[in-house]
Structure formats: structure tokens, C-alpha cells
Amino acid sequence: MALALACSLALALSVALQAFAVAPDAQDVDDAQQKYESAEAALIAAEEKLASISSEYEALSGEVDALQAQIDDLAGQVLEAQASMLEGRSVLANTAVYEYRSSSLSTFLSSILGARSWNEMSRNVDYVGKIMDQQSEEIAQQKELKDKFTKASSELTAQKNEQDEKLEVLNSKRTEAAAVVEEAAQYADESSEKLTELKQQAEQFIWKSEEPEPDPVPEADTTDRDDAVSPSTPVIPDPSPSAPVGEYRSGVASAYGGSSDPYTPNPGTTATGAICDDNSMGVAIPMSMPNYRSYFGRTVEIVYNGMTVYATVNDCGSMGGGSRALDLQPGVFKAFGYGDCYAWGIRTVKYRFL
């Protein structure tokens, strides 16, 4: 009986000890519960914060898109004003050349002083006066065209600068969202489905165009071209490197097209189907540029030697494997005052896409 009693006691003690060994400590239970609640609270807070960021993001996206529509409209007005100004400049240049070659001023004076009668002199004076009035009118019209271009250009610059500021804030939302998720991850398990969902949501906070990228037109014959100016040509720095307000890039610009380029058809058909000739106001961008086709049709603002010229992205090319940022068509480098591809050569410019 004593042996049986001892065995029973030993068995009971063993069971009790096993039960005590597996029973969780009260402190461990509290810690686990607190950790779970902290993780849940962190995920809920992160979810609420991301919802707030999402709301701000959507509002900013709407503002950026609205500004882009205004920029597109203003860019069209600027290109039109620029074309009129450049045409007027050409008229004045032709007048100046005529004056120089014909020495018309001395001819006018001779016709007045050599008049054989008062009536003849009166007629000659009237004739000279009309010519001078016409020239004065051309100068006044050119000033008016330039003022119109300058005003439209200033409005466009202001709109683009405003959009750049909003884009900077917009793109910062992704960084802000990533920080929120990173903080929540300190409390939540990496395998949490909710945490994975929040990470995916944070990755979406970056603005980008949803427009499809156009393919180059099949009839394009200017994209596969040799360089008009040798790539070994020294790059000429900007002699007047201004610091325009806004997010500008600095890059190397070459030239192609027109009668001075033996390697590009004149006229030629660009990647967008536009014509490249001696007066075209387009530029090409390198095909090595990420998503380069998405830039087709956009206006680019180019600044060199204190002058600003606007052009349309309508072509592409190898362009030294992307070592050059822009390839200017004849109308563009002529607007800067250079007569052919070789006079322009390769130069450093500032530019931005509008």
C-alpha cells in the first residue's frame, strides 16, 4: 500500500510539473497581446495616413493635369507667335540686305536733289516718304510681334514653373508614403497581408502620363541617319550661360537636316510624319532616352546665349548613343542665328520639355 501510494504521488507530481512547464507565463501573455495590439494599431494608423496621402495625391494630380492642359494651349500660342516673329525678322533682314546692296538711301537723295522741277521733286519726296513709312511700319510690326511672343513666353514659363513645383510635391508623396509603411513594418510581421497591401499602395504614388506611346511612322526616312557634324567636333559651351528660373536640364545639342546636311533627305519625313526641311522647327531626341516616344509632339524650350527658342519633338535618332540630348532642325538653329549645320556644330544648351 505504501508503494502504491508513493507511485500515485509521484505520478500526480509529474503531471503537475508538466502542466506547470507548458502553462504560459502571465507576463508573456501580456507582452504577446501588447505586441499584437501595437501591430494592429500601426497598420490601422498607416492605412489612415495612406488614405490621407492618397486624397492629397489625387487633388495634386488634378491640378498638375489642369496645368498641363494650360501649358499645351500656351505652347501652341507661343509657337505661333514665334513663327510670326521669325517671319517678320526675315522680312526685315531682307530689307536690310536690299538697302546695303542697292544703296537706296543715296539713290533716294539723288532722285530728290536731281529733280528737274518742283513737281518731280515733290513726287520723288512723296515716293521716298512712302518707302520710309513702309520700313517704319515693318519695324513697328516686328516690335509688336516680338512683344506678343515675349508676353506669351513669360506666361508659359510661369505656368511651367508652377507645374514643376506641384510635381515636386506630388512626387514627394511617394517618399512620404514609403516612410509611413516603413514605420508600420517595425511593428507588423513581414508576412502580414495588410502590410504587403500597404507597400503596394505606397508604390503607386508617383505621377506619370497615361497617354500611350506612339510608334514612329513607317514612312519616316530621317531617323536612321549619319551625323552631319562629326561627333569628334569640340563642344562649344554656352557663351552666356544664363540661369533661367525652373527645372532645366543641361545637355549637348547638335544639328541636322536641310540643304547643309548630306545625310538626311531634304525634305525628309520625321518619326511623327512631320516634314524636316530648311525651315522646320523640330528637334530629335535620342532613342536611348527612357520612354523616348512619349515625348513625341511635346514642345521643348531651348535656351542658348541668352535667347529662348521653342521647338516640337518630332524625331529621334542614335545621336552618339545618347551622348547628345537634342538634334536641332534648320529652323531652330537659324532662330539662334546660325546659317547651317556646320555653323551650329555641337553646343551646350539648357532645355526642358513642356
Side-chain angles (χ1 to χ4, degrees):
M1 291 180 61
L3 181 59
L5 181 59
C7 289
S8 298
L9 288 173
L11 180 61
L13 181 60
S14 174
V15 171
L17 287 173
Q18 291 177 11
F20 178 78
V22 298
D25 182 81
Q27 184 62 41
D28 291 340
V29 172
D30 290 343
D31 290 345
Q33 181 66 23
Q34 186 176 3
K35 184 177 180 181
Y36 171 78
E37 291 175 354
S38 297
E40 282 295 301
L43 290 173
I44 291 173
E47 191 172 20
E48 292 175 350
K49 183 60 177 176
L50 285 183
S52 175
I53 294 174
S54 180
S55 177
E56 296 171 0
Y57 175 85
E58 290 299 327
L60 278 168
S61 293
E63 293 176 14
V64 168
D65 290 338
L67 282 169
Q68 186 62 54
Q70 296 175 29
I71 289 170
D72 291 341
D73 181 59
L74 279 172
Q77 296 178 35
V78 166
L79 289 173
E80 184 178 342
Q82 179 179 254
S84 298
M85 183 186 67
L86 293 176
E87 183 180 355
R89 183 198 296 179
S90 178
V91 170
L92 283 180
N94 291 335
T95 300
V97 170
Y98 174 77
E99 292 284 352
Y100 174 77
R101 290 179 175 175
S102 64
S103 301
S104 59
L105 181 58
S106 61
T107 302
F108 292 156
L109 289 175
S110 298
S111 65
I112 294 174
L113 298 177
R116 289 169 295 186
S117 67
W118 174 259
N119 289 336
E120 183 179 352
M121 185 176 72
S122 178
R123 287 195 303 271
N124 290 343
V125 168
D126 184 57
Y127 173 69
V128 171
K130 288 180 179 178
I131 292 178
M132 297 299 290
D133 287 344
Q134 180 182 354
Q135 293 177 354
S136 298
E137 185 178 343
E138 288 177 354
I139 293 173
Q141 287 177 347
Q142 179 62 12
K143 184 179 183 303
E144 183 180 343
L145 291 172
K146 184 177 180 181
D147 290 343
K148 182 179 180 181
F149 167 74
T150 301
K151 180 181 178 182
S153 177
S154 298
E155 291 178 4
L156 178 58
T157 297
Q159 291 281 26
K160 182 57 181 175
N161 290 344
E162 182 181 352
Q163 188 194 47
D164 284 344
E165 292 175 2
K166 290 187 181 297
L167 275 171
E168 186 175 352
V169 176
L170 188 63
N171 290 331
S172 72
K173 293 300 175 184
R174 183 177 186 178
T175 303
E176 185 180 349
V180 169
V181 174
E182 184 178 352
E183 183 179 358
Q186 298 176 6
Y187 300 93
D189 193 293
E190 282 293 331
S191 62
S192 167
E193 293 183 3
K194 175 58 71 175
L195 183 62
T196 301
E197 181 182 332
L198 293 177
K199 286 182 178 180
Q200 293 173 348
Q201 185 178 350
E203 287 294 319
Q204 298 175 4
F205 291 112
I206 183 167
W207 183 83
K208 56 185 178 180
S209 174
E210 297 181 356
E211 296 182 2
E213 295 184 8
D215 292 323
V217 297
E219 60 270 24
D221 56 11
T222 62
T223 57
D224 185 17
R225 61 182 184 275
D226 292 330
D227 295 317
V229 180
S230 172
S232 61
T233 302
V235 177
I236 302 174
D238 190 338
S240 178
S242 58
V245 178
E247 296 295 327
Y248 288 82
R249 309 178 191 182
S250 181
V252 174
S254 49
Y256 80 108
S259 55
S260 65
D261 181 359
Y263 305 110
T264 304
N266 182 31
T269 302
T270 69
T272 63
I275 297 300
C276 176
D277 59 18
D278 283 300
N279 300 299
S280 52
M281 295 294 296
V283 299
I285 55 176
M287 290 185 286
S288 59
M289 184 176 176
N291 305 316
Y292 73 93
R293 291 178 298 177
S294 65
Y295 291 86
F296 286 167
R298 291 179 65 176
T299 301
V300 59
E301 179 183 356
I302 310 166
V303 181
Y304 179 77
N305 196 22
M307 296 178 62
T308 300
V309 174
Y310 296 87
T312 302
V313 179
N314 61 17
D315 211 355
C316 56
S318 60
M319 296 167 59
S323 61
R324 300 190 298 279
L326 300 173
D327 218 356
L328 312 184
Q329 292 170 17
V332 182
F333 60 70
K334 287 178 181 178
F336 281 115
Y338 298 87
D340 56 42
C341 294
Y342 305 99
W344 173 263
I346 303 177
R347 299 172 184 267
T348 301
V349 300
K350 286 187 175 63
Y351 67 100
R352 66 175 174 178
F353 298 102
L354 304 178

